[in-house]
Amino acid sequence: SYVLTQPPSVSVAPGQTARITCGGNNIGSKSVHWYQQKPGQAPVLVVYDDSDRPSGIPERFSGSNSGNTATLTISRVEAGDEADYYCQVWDSSSVVFGGGTKLTVL
Amino acid sequence: QVQLVQSGAEVKKPGASVKVSCKASGYTFTSYGISWVRQAPGQGLEWMGWISAYNGNTNYAQKLQGRVTMTTDTSTSTAYMELRSLRSDDTAVYYCARAGPNPSADFDYWGQGTLVTVSS
């Protein structure tokens, strides 16, 4: 089965740029979606189809996907961005989620 | 505005079944699918399956084949997920999410979650 690998944690100071990676075999050939989940809340879609943003998501959130790595980039990080982030793809008739990355804002 | 409202928390004994509902509003129910995702305490997201609200076609996660059934009632714009033969490791928050007309799409709106606790 397809495996998506995310770093367990990423730390960044306010105002800096956070990059959260999602590794998978030839993931660049797939559409990657990203979700943000804050404690006690349902996930929220922040990037879909590699790099598109749903309405209402700040432009600070962007995505890219090439080769074996997809990346969610959060520019000018704010305290409110602290959350778990999950990547997701479709492979072999199944949805696959990455293990999640906890973003800590220092 | 799009809303997905789920049924309340459940406590079940091992071996029992649970049925969680997800009532949709604010969009044309039959133009989309519904996926179900669960999250065990302190763990990540696990996809359970998808159902088309248009024609009832389903796609279940291999791990849950035979134990899960997803249905929809288009007259009330409600989706249901039934999980049978519950075990302690089925304890989780269960989410419904609006998906596309095919199971590969993203999940753009989510329900609030339903906690299912399996305990003797």
Side-chain angles (χ1 to χ4, degrees):
Chain A
S1 61
Y2 195 77
V3 176
L4 293 175
T5 301
Q6 296 184 236
S9 63
V10 168
S11 299
V12 65
Q16 299 304 303
T17 297
R19 293 179 178 85
I20 298 172
T21 59
C22 176
N25 184 34
N26 198 26
I27 194 174
S29 66
K30 303 179 186 300
S31 287
V32 180
H33 317 304
W34 290 91
Y35 302 89
Q36 175 194 68
Q37 186 181 33
K38 297 181 179 179
Q41 298 184 19
V44 172
L45 180 68
V46 293
V47 166
Y48 67 98
D49 291 347
D50 297 339
S51 58
D52 291 332
R53 270 188 322 276
S55 61
I57 299 301
E59 291 183 9
R60 301 185 298 104
F61 288 82
S62 62
S64 63
N65 184 18
S66 178
N68 293 319
T69 305
T71 303
L72 173 69
T73 301
I74 309 171
S75 304
R76 301 181 300 282
V77 166
E78 303 173 355
D81 298 331
E82 189 162 284
D84 294 326
Y85 291 84
Y86 295 90
C87 56
Q88 177 226 318
V89 300
W90 172 258
D91 178 82
S92 300
S93 300
S94 181
V95 167
V96 181
F97 285 103
T101 297
K102 180 175 181 57
L103 176 66
T104 299
V105 181
L106 301 171
Chain B
Q1 72 285 20
V2 174
Q3 278 194 305
L4 299 173
V5 179
Q6 299 183 222
S7 49
E10 304 261 13
V11 179
K12 297 292 183 180
K13 293 193 181 303
S17 299
V18 69
K19 192 169 186 176
V20 180
S21 67
C22 170
K23 184 170 176 59
S25 62
Y27 71 97
T28 302
F29 184 64
T30 52
S31 295
Y32 292 82
I34 293 286
S35 267
W36 290 86
V37 176
R38 68 180 181 177
Q39 186 171 37
Q43 302 302 307
L45 304 174
E46 178 186 13
W47 179 73
M48 300 179 68
W50 166 91
I51 182 167
S52 165
Y54 173 70
N55 58 17
N57 285 351
T58 55
N59 185 321
Y60 298 141
Q62 192 169 12
K63 173 183 176 182
L64 296 173
Q65 287 272 4
R67 283 208 302 140
V68 67
T69 300
M70 297 176 186
T71 56
T72 59
D73 181 344
T74 57
S75 69
T76 60
S77 299
T78 302
Y80 299 90
M81 185 285 299
E82 182 180 32
L83 188 61
R84 300 176 293 279
S85 303
L86 290 169
R87 309 186 288 247
S88 59
D89 61 357
D90 291 317
T91 294
V93 175
Y94 289 74
Y95 294 102
C96 62
R98 191 178 80 163
N102 60 72
S104 63
D106 56 273
F107 309 146
D108 58 356
Y109 290 92
W110 294 64
Q112 83 275 20
T114 297
L115 176 61
V116 175
T117 303
V118 183
S119 173
S120 55

